Amino acid sequence: MFRKIYRFLFGTRPPPPKRSYLPERSSGKARLGGAVIHPNPSSLKAKHTATQKRFAGNKVLKGKCHVIDGDTIVINKTHIRIAGIDAPELDHPFGIKSKWAVIHMCKGKVITAKICDEMSYNRVVGVCYLPDGRDIAAELVKQGLAVDWPKYSGGRYSHLEPPDTRKKLWRAAARQKGYFKPD
């Protein structure tokens, strides 16, 4: 409707909306309006291999962590995907609750991450432990704020899932079956 009125008044099409170029800090991507612009794929591959080389000899990372969401933490500027589970994203049901559960578990504590060989979206994958030896992934699954991802865990946490957790976290369960693309 706006375009028709503009064209009637001025006899031309309206100018396109102004869009700003906003680089995202962590992912190496840039945004133009609403579209994501990916950088040169070879630079992403170089970043990916550089991260793998950094952890080639050192398989354990220790330190205080910063929580990104229910299954991603940062230790010493390294993004770590918690292995074997799938927690809801922040904009999904129970996503913020899942993040806060991890924050309460890890607050002020030194977390130990045993790094695996695989990578996930420019994040290293690791099994993360609290100072008392508890597995963060197992604690999240016990609380019903994450589901076991058998493809990656081999069913390691499936016995810890409370009844009806997959109904409650239906988006995470559907993503595992391939209905949704990972965010």
Side-chain angles (χ1 to χ4, degrees):
M1 185 70 171
F2 169 76
R3 291 182 183 274
K4 287 182 180 180
I5 294 170
Y6 192 94
R7 185 177 274 175
F8 176 76
L9 292 174
F10 300 104
T12 62
R13 288 184 177 181
K18 293 186 178 183
R19 297 181 181 179
S20 62
Y21 183 77
L22 301 173
E24 289 185 6
R25 293 181 186 166
S26 63
S27 66
K29 299 176 188 174
R31 290 195 178 271
L32 179 63
V36 176
I37 300 171
H38 295 278
N40 184 355
S42 62
S43 66
L44 280 179
K45 190 173 184 179
K47 183 178 179 182
H48 182 79
T49 55
T51 306
Q52 280 181 326
K53 286 179 184 175
R54 193 168 92 193
F55 291 106
N58 185 13
K59 294 287 187 177
V60 177
L61 189 62
K62 284 187 175 187
K64 292 190 177 182
C65 76
H66 169 74
V67 179
I68 301 295
D69 63 9
D71 54 13
T72 307
I73 61 173
V74 179
I75 298 176
N76 298 334
K77 298 181 183 178
T78 302
H79 284 69
I80 301 168
R81 167 80 160 82
I82 299 175
I85 63 167
D86 191 19
E89 301 301 324
L90 294 176
D91 59 341
H92 295 177
F94 297 96
I96 294 175
K97 191 171 184 179
S98 176
K99 175 182 177 173
W100 277 99
V102 178
I103 289 172
H104 289 298
M105 270 191 270
C106 300
K107 188 170 185 173
K109 298 177 183 168
V110 175
I111 305 300
T112 304
K114 292 186 179 177
I115 306 299
C116 304
D117 291 332
E118 61 255 8
M119 296 278 291
S120 172
Y121 296 98
N122 289 330
R123 301 174 292 183
V124 295
V125 178
V127 181
C128 301
Y129 298 98
L130 295 169
D132 59 2
R134 292 181 295 156
D135 185 354
I136 293 174
E139 294 299 315
L140 270 178
V141 172
K142 281 182 200 174
Q143 293 175 23
L145 296 172
V147 291
D148 176 47
W149 199 326
K151 179 179 176 182
Y152 299 107
S153 72
R156 181 176 175 184
Y157 305 111
S158 60
H159 67 283
L160 300 173
E161 284 183 16
D164 296 334
T165 300
R166 291 196 175 261
K167 285 183 182 177
K168 180 174 91 172
L169 304 177
W170 63 272
R171 288 189 68 123
R175 184 174 43 213
Q176 289 180 13
K177 293 178 183 174
Y179 296 134
F180 294 112
K181 290 183 179 178
D183 295 333

